Amino acid sequence: MRAPNIDYAQLLPVLVVFGVAVIGVLVEAFVSRENRRTIQVPLAFAGIVASFITLFFVGKTPRTPAVGALGLDTPTVFIQGTILLLAFVSMLLIAERRVDGGGPFVAEAAALPGSEEERRLLQAGAQHTEVYPLVMFSVGGMLLFPESDDLLIMFVALEVLSLPLYLLCGLARRRRLLSQEAALKYFLLGAFSSGFFVYGIALLYGYAGTVRLSGIAQAAGSATGSDILLYAGIALVGVGLLFKIGAVPFHGWTPDVYQGAPTAVTAFMSACTKVAAFGATLRVFYVAFGGMRWDWRPMMWVIAVLTMVIGSVLAITQTDVKRMLAYSTIAHTGFILTAVVATSTQGLSSAMFYLAAYGFSSVGAFAIVTLVRDGGGEANHLSRWVGLGRRSPLVAGMFAFFLLAFAGIPLTSGFTGKYVVFLAAANGGALPLVVVGLLASAAAAFFYVRVIVLMFFQQPNEDAATVAVPSAYTSVAIGLGVLVTVVLGVVPGPVLQLAQDAARNLFVG
Amino acid sequence: MFPYLTVIGVVPLVAAIVVAAAPRERTGTAKWVALLASLVSFVLTLVMAAQFRADGPRFQFVENHAWIPQFGVRYALGVDGISLVLIGLTVVLVPVAIAGAWRERGARVDGGDKGYFALVLTLETALVGAFAALDLFMFYVLFEVMLIPMYFLIGRYGGIRRQYAAVKFLLYSLAGGLLMLAAVIALAVSASEQGRQTFMFEALTKLHLGAGAERWMFLGFFVAFAVKASLFPFHTWLPDAVSESRPSSAILLVGAMDPAGAYGMIRYCLQLFPNAAHFFTPVVLVLAVIGVLYGALAAIGQKDVQRLLAYTSVSHFGLIVLGIFAMTSQAQVGATFYMVSAGLSMGALFLLAGVMTARRGSRLIDDFGGVYRVAPVLGGTFLVACLSGLALPGLATFTSEFLVLLGTFSRYPVAAGIATTGIILAAVYMLWMYQRTMTGPRTPAAERMRDLGRRERWAVAPLILLLIVLGVFPKPVLDAIAPAVKQTMTQLHVQDVNAEGK
């Protein structure tokens, strides 16, 4: 029997990231504690950059390397590039040490919260450098997730990207119980949704006799098997994917996890996980279920509407800035789903553009959240943000700018993104969805504006939070966030063109 | 050719950045930079207007470059007579507002005045851009962006209830704007279905739209513009926003931003959706007439000077919308001219009311009395401003109101008749306010009232002068507007009543 022919050169971007992650683990094992960080940080950045560079050498023609288990095509390359860029920016936040002495992560995850041991480790300046290989593993999984042309590989990628995230969520340096609760909640719900996903795969296998996306599409086209298996399979696989992108009604974990996780990890999840999960969702629904779109579209309409409306409305009642941003993410997920519903090259390109635009603004916004602090860590309650604009006009101004971008004010990337997804939806005959989306945007504007009101129009009170002075890491992350948000708002042409060119061929299948 | 429009728009923006970035100790210099930049724009507009040929091509000083080719969006600027006079109005009001805000007391100022001036200049850029845009997408972008500086002007520098007022203002406008965005998207879909991926105004007027679709799109645009132009019943944000603003912000809000809504109606609602415009005309006329009367009656009942002026403006814009939808060339020329003259008149009123209220430390009409004896220049200029508010013959507002009513009467005599009572009511609220504040025995409060200082005289003089000059000799402005209105009428397939009657 011959070994399967795997075109390793085509897998280079993924392999580089996994390789660096493995080296990172070895570093943890063999390098002394004091020197680990000085090796891990450059290693992680180098891995992301190297992987990004190799993306340019991957062939432009669509192909299915690894005996068809993977599908490599221009949309995938665009999505992977977006993930790597966003991972780079998020990594800047993860590597930050000056804002909270020792970095945003716990000194030793095994030490009980509030124990003597924990205090001793904190004083010794210990830190978790396992974070870096964990993030790299997660990034590797994210790269693989939208590239999978095979539901089993996709499942493996899903787990590879998720498991490190569950851990990372529990590693916050401050408010550790909240963080651990978030990790456990995310893990349990994530495991549950993975169960749905696998069950869906089994049913689809029963229907089509294959787990290849193209094979399922073919089987669905020939209409031989039992429709019940097919529909149930679509629904269950859909649940797994929609959980990961945080669409209503599978969004319940988002606010808790976003709130409890270290903010740098929250930024990473809100940007990178979202891109990867949407990439996989787009591939599955366009390739495997593309021929069935008349069947799943009504359901997707309902989910898009619910996601937009519930995300926007519930955000209004939030008093914690991270929870508010979590609900805002949910609302944005709904906006992107309107493009998924379009099932067209325009839908694909607009979703990809939106993801890139939103990711940078989101990382920038969370980066600013890490700066607003008091003695006990981040001051996330909105009442602590009162009057921030008077004491730190620059930081508050940038946060206001990100909020306006989320609200979709013109000349920000948020407006361009909304315009493209709604245009795609309207072209796909979903004009009512567009109207709902715009009404939800109006509701969403309310809570973004509310934060601006309390930052700028109210007098600071005595327990207002202070703004930490970050090192170059966080400053660069925020700067990049602002820059991309402006550029994609004022001259979005080149990136739009890139997304359109990438989407022209749709996914290989 | 010299890109007048770009430069007129960009100069304030550059100055805004300079002013915002200036260190706090240099606030004094920053103010002069702001004033200078706004005057540069003003002078450039004068130079441009001198070269404008009323009998020339429809759009002049055209600049046309690709902006976002993927959407077919172009950076396209150009002016016809209507947009030219509105840009003129903007560049007159901004230096006045800056001079008025120079040392505005009474309103709480913090973070230095720098931010205030930077925001005013940013607003000017957005306004000039919106009036000059020939590309619908670009117009939409600037039309929305202008909300943000105004939101901060109200919320950051306003009175006690400024937060509420600013949020109400922004949410009303955003909601309207998002409905318009839905219509813009629908229009883009129609355009690309007909093989023209473009937002250029003139190309869009040639689209064929289904009757139903056209009506929905009209409504999307109309609601956005009605909110901006504070047409009844979309006006409720205006009294709050105006009464909580500093007088200089109010000048820009009522004088320059509200006209943007009315401008949107005449440029986009009527010309992109002519059939729907005809369909909805009766409804719009009813709303406009209600607005005229409601604004006037509500103004009579106000105790607060700025709130009174806000309702006055609701009444004025009712009349402007009436003139636009009367669809006769007289009425539309009058309505456009009225945007200018009402802007000047409201500018003068807010400026002087601001001076009075800052000196007295109160905005209640009852707290004044006998001011004229103490401060004759203030009293005299305020009298002229009030008379312009009630459209005294010889002042610019009279000419414009007269044209609107005459033009409306030829097609809708009943509407014109009812609206005329609004003018009578205007005399009531204006003269009553003047009488209560300026005449009568000296009150102890008025005793200490200083007369207009040199800076304040300089600020108000151009407005009074323009009101008188344009009242006596409105021809140049009317000549500039008339061809643009004629174009609108052609687009609407209507003719004046006398022409039809033959």
Side-chain angles (χ1 to χ4, degrees):
Chain A
M1 182 180 163
R2 230 153 40 84
N5 174 26
I6 292 172
D7 195 350
Y8 286 104
Q10 299 294 319
L11 304 181
L12 215 50
V14 182
L15 292 179
V16 167
V17 171
F18 279 133
V20 167
V22 172
I23 297 173
V25 173
L26 293 176
V27 169
E28 287 299 314
F30 294 110
V31 176
S32 68
R33 195 179 271 272
E34 309 81 67
N35 298 329
R36 283 182 202 160
R37 184 185 147 89
T38 42
I39 298 178
Q40 292 283 24
V41 174
L43 188 65
F45 281 114
I48 292 172
V49 171
S51 171
F52 188 76
I53 292 170
T54 56
L55 271 185
F56 289 96
F57 298 106
V58 175
K60 284 205 165 53
T61 45
R63 65 194 69 195
T64 50
V67 216
L70 298 178
L72 201 57
D73 40 35
T74 44
T76 309
V77 171
F78 185 95
I79 289 166
Q80 291 180 333
T82 311
I83 293 172
L84 286 168
L85 288 175
L86 291 170
F88 185 89
V89 187
S90 315
M91 191 61 98
L92 290 167
L93 298 185
I94 290 168
E96 170 69 49
R97 285 196 76 192
R98 192 190 295 169
V99 168
D100 196 355
F105 296 100
V106 68
E108 175 61 65
L112 281 177
S115 67
E116 186 57 37
E117 187 191 9
E118 187 195 29
R119 201 169 311 123
R120 193 167 43 74
L121 284 163
L122 278 177
Q123 275 164 1
Q127 51 184 315
H128 247 295
T129 44
E130 289 92 337
V131 168
Y132 301 98
L134 283 174
V135 172
M136 292 310 280
F137 274 119
S138 188
V139 171
M142 288 172 187
L143 295 181
L144 199 57
F145 197 32
E147 194 182 339
S148 324
D149 197 36
D150 181 311
L151 285 173
L152 272 183
I153 298 286
M154 192 173 267
F155 175 69
V156 172
L158 174 65
E159 292 305 303
V160 171
L161 90 85
S162 301
L163 286 171
L165 281 182
Y166 301 145
L167 276 173
L168 287 166
C169 285
L171 294 183
R173 192 176 192 84
R174 316 276 186 154
R175 298 200 196 89
R176 288 189 57 200
L177 289 176
L178 203 61
S179 171
Q180 292 177 355
E181 183 192 322
L184 187 66
K185 201 172 227 167
Y186 194 18
F187 171 68
L188 288 177
L189 289 174
F192 204 50
S193 80
S194 294
F196 278 105
F197 191 72
V198 178
Y199 199 6
I201 295 176
L203 294 182
L204 287 174
Y205 184 76
Y207 172 79
T210 173
V211 286
R212 287 284 148 78
L213 298 184
S214 45
I216 294 169
Q218 266 172 15
S222 60
T224 43
S226 148
D227 278 350
I228 295 175
L229 281 182
L230 178 63
Y231 291 144
I234 293 177
L236 291 174
V237 166
V239 169
L241 291 167
L242 291 172
F243 173 84
K244 218 60 212 172
I245 62 175
V248 176
F250 315 107
H251 67 294
W253 58 276
T254 320
D256 291 335
V257 173
Y258 275 30
Q259 184 188 15
T263 307
V265 174
T266 311
F268 177 61
M269 288 194 295
S270 80
C272 299
T273 313
K274 186 139 290 199
V275 180
F278 258 110
T281 309
L282 285 163
R283 179 185 284 281
V284 169
F285 277 89
Y286 277 43
V287 175
F289 309 147
M292 313 283 306
R293 56 173 164 274
W294 300 110
D295 294 304
W296 56 258
R297 247 194 206 164
M299 204 56 227
M300 205 59 112
W301 270 60
V302 173
I303 288 172
V305 167
L306 282 177
T307 311
M308 290 188 284
V309 171
I310 289 183
S312 304
V313 171
L314 289 187
I316 295 173
T317 62
Q318 301 306 314
T319 52
D320 182 288
V321 66
K322 279 166 85 178
R323 284 184 85 84
M324 188 203 81
L325 288 176
Y327 279 105
S328 133
T329 310
I330 295 172
H332 285 279
T333 302
F335 298 142
I336 305 175
L337 279 174
T338 59
V340 177
V341 170
T343 346
S344 59
T345 50
Q346 205 186 9
L348 179 59
S349 75
S350 60
M352 293 194 305
F353 179 86
Y354 200 117
L355 287 165
Y358 175 74
F360 278 96
S361 308
S362 180
V363 173
F366 279 112
I368 288 175
V369 171
T370 64
L371 298 183
V372 181
R373 323 180 62 87
D374 59 13
E378 285 168 17
N380 289 338
H381 199 275
L382 278 175
S383 64
R384 312 294 303 280
W385 288 56
V386 168
L388 197 71
R390 296 187 187 269
R391 284 171 301 116
S392 311
L394 187 64
V395 169
M398 287 189 295
F399 195 68
F401 178 67
F402 288 129
L403 291 175
L404 291 176
F406 293 151
I409 300 293
L411 298 184
T412 64
S413 63
F415 173 71
T416 320
K418 262 190 193 143
Y419 181 78
V420 285
V421 295
F422 288 152
L423 186 66
N427 268 325
L431 201 59
L433 212 53
V434 173
V435 174
V436 173
L438 290 169
L439 292 175
S441 305
F446 178 72
F447 63 83
Y448 297 125
V449 165
R450 199 173 55 126
V451 178
I452 296 178
V453 165
L454 59 88
M455 284 197 305
F456 282 94
F457 303 164
Q458 290 182 6
Q459 291 297 338
N461 46 18
E462 59 274 13
D463 70 56
T466 55
V467 173
V469 180
S471 68
Y473 286 118
T474 303
S475 312
V476 170
I478 298 175
L480 282 174
V482 171
L483 186 73
V484 172
T485 309
V486 172
V487 168
L488 293 188
V490 179
V491 275
V495 179
L496 279 172
Q497 191 61 49
L498 210 59
Q500 280 179 8
D501 290 344
R504 188 158 297 143
N505 301 319
L506 279 178
F507 290 108
V508 62
Chain B
M1 204 183 72
F2 185 72
Y4 279 105
L5 290 164
T6 299
V7 176
I8 292 169
V10 166
V11 165
L13 184 65
V14 173
I17 295 168
V18 170
V19 169
R24 197 163 286 188
E25 314 82 76
R26 308 295 294 275
T27 303
T29 324
K31 283 189 203 175
W32 280 106
V33 171
L35 185 63
L36 198 68
S38 65
L39 287 175
V40 167
S41 281
F42 171 70
V43 171
L44 280 171
T45 310
L46 278 188
V47 175
M48 183 179 79
Q51 295 174 32
F52 182 82
R53 298 201 339 271
D55 54 349
R58 176 164 192 197
F59 293 112
Q60 301 179 27
F61 309 103
V62 172
E63 300 166 34
N64 193 340
H65 310 282
W67 179 15
I68 311 175
Q70 289 75 14
F71 301 158
V73 172
R74 301 189 70 80
Y75 176 86
L77 298 174
V79 286
D80 62 358
I82 298 176
S83 37
L84 179 70
V85 298
L86 290 173
I87 291 175
L89 174 66
T90 308
V91 296
V92 168
L93 288 180
V94 170
V96 168
I98 288 178
W102 207 256
R103 213 177 297 126
E104 226 163 49
R105 280 181 301 158
R108 206 177 38 76
V109 175
D110 47 43
D113 271 340
K114 274 185 330 116
Y116 188 86
F117 293 107
L119 289 168
V120 168
L121 290 169
T122 318
L123 182 64
E124 181 175 15
T125 301
L127 281 165
V128 170
F131 287 132
L134 291 183
D135 182 289
L136 176 63
F137 191 92
M138 183 171 171
F139 169 78
Y140 177 80
V141 164
L142 292 161
F143 187 77
E144 287 293 281
V145 159
M146 72 173 76
L147 300 176
I148 304 301
M150 185 43 86
Y151 167 66
F152 280 96
L153 284 176
I154 299 170
R156 187 129 196 224
Y157 300 96
I160 297 161
R161 288 172 69 241
R162 61 185 191 282
Q163 296 177 18
Y164 168 77
V167 171
K168 190 169 176 183
F169 158 75
L170 189 67
L171 291 182
Y172 268 66
S173 306
L174 271 184
L178 288 168
L179 288 176
M180 182 172 156
L181 182 59
V184 170
I185 289 173
L187 201 58
V189 171
S190 303
S192 68
E193 274 168 3
Q194 294 175 29
R196 305 181 195 176
Q197 203 203 23
T198 179
F199 285 97
M200 288 298 285
F201 171 71
E202 288 190 299
L204 290 180
T205 56
K206 299 188 180 77
L207 286 182
H208 304 285
L209 303 169
E214 185 179 340
R215 284 175 196 170
W216 282 112
M217 290 182 209
F218 173 89
L219 283 180
F221 277 71
F222 182 77
V223 170
F225 296 141
V227 170
K228 196 77 129 220
S230 61
L231 177 69
F232 178 89
F234 305 99
H235 68 286
T236 56
W237 59 273
L238 186 78
D240 288 310
V242 167
S243 62
E244 295 304 321
S245 299
R246 288 168 72 170
S248 286
S249 319
I251 293 174
L252 295 173
L253 183 62
V254 171
M257 242 173 96
D258 282 5
Y263 165 77
M265 290 184 195
I266 196 166
R267 168 67 74 80
Y268 295 102
C269 277
L270 293 192
Q271 302 188 47
L272 293 183
F273 317 111
N275 299 325
H278 285 298
F279 178 79
F280 284 109
T281 294
V283 183
V284 177
L285 290 180
V286 169
L287 293 180
V289 170
I290 294 177
V292 171
L293 294 183
Y294 170 82
L297 288 170
I300 293 174
Q302 297 306 313
K303 295 193 176 73
D304 176 311
V305 183
Q306 254 174 257
R307 226 177 154 80
L308 185 151
L309 293 176
Y311 280 107
T312 312
S313 153
V314 171
S315 180
H316 289 167
F317 275 90
L319 205 59
I320 289 171
V321 175
L322 184 69
I324 292 173
F325 278 82
M327 300 198 192
T328 64
S329 49
Q330 263 178 339
Q332 291 191 340
V333 170
T336 310
F337 188 38
Y338 199 17
M339 292 183 218
V340 177
S341 54
L344 298 170
S345 152
M346 295 307 286
L349 282 166
F350 275 115
L351 194 70
L352 295 167
V355 171
M356 276 163 53
T357 53
R359 305 240 158 109
R360 175 68 182 82
S362 162
R363 292 203 312 228
L364 294 182
I365 295 173
D366 291 343
D367 286 345
F368 296 90
V371 173
Y372 191 88
R373 290 159 201 271
V374 193
V377 181
L378 175 61
T381 45
F382 195 61
L383 180 61
V384 179
C386 284
L387 293 176
S388 75
L390 61 83
L392 187 80
L395 295 172
T397 40
F398 171 74
T399 321
S400 34
E401 274 191 18
F402 187 70
L403 281 173
V404 169
L405 290 171
L406 202 63
T408 311
F409 187 81
S410 65
R411 180 155 290 154
Y412 303 104
V414 178
I418 302 173
T420 311
T421 52
I423 302 201
I424 299 164
L425 292 173
V428 175
Y429 59 72
M430 277 297 166
L431 289 179
W432 200 28
M433 175 177 75
Y434 182 79
Q435 190 189 346
R436 282 187 289 169
T437 52
M438 290 295 171
T439 61
R442 295 179 188 201
T443 52
E447 207 65 63
R448 292 189 304 278
M449 190 79 86
R450 251 182 332 109
D451 206 346
L452 284 189
R454 203 165 49 144
R455 171 184 65 83
E456 289 149 349
R457 288 181 203 191
W458 273 106
V460 77
L463 298 179
I464 302 284
L465 194 70
L466 277 171
L467 280 169
I468 296 172
V469 169
L470 292 180
V472 180
F473 187 57
K475 192 170 179 306
V477 176
L478 296 182
D479 282 351
I481 300 171
V485 165
K486 203 171 155 218
Q487 279 285 345
T488 315
M489 302 280 288
T490 319
Q491 192 70 39
L492 281 163
H493 310 297
V494 286
Q495 289 174 320
D496 286 331
V497 177
N498 339 1
E500 282 167 1
K502 274 192 292 201

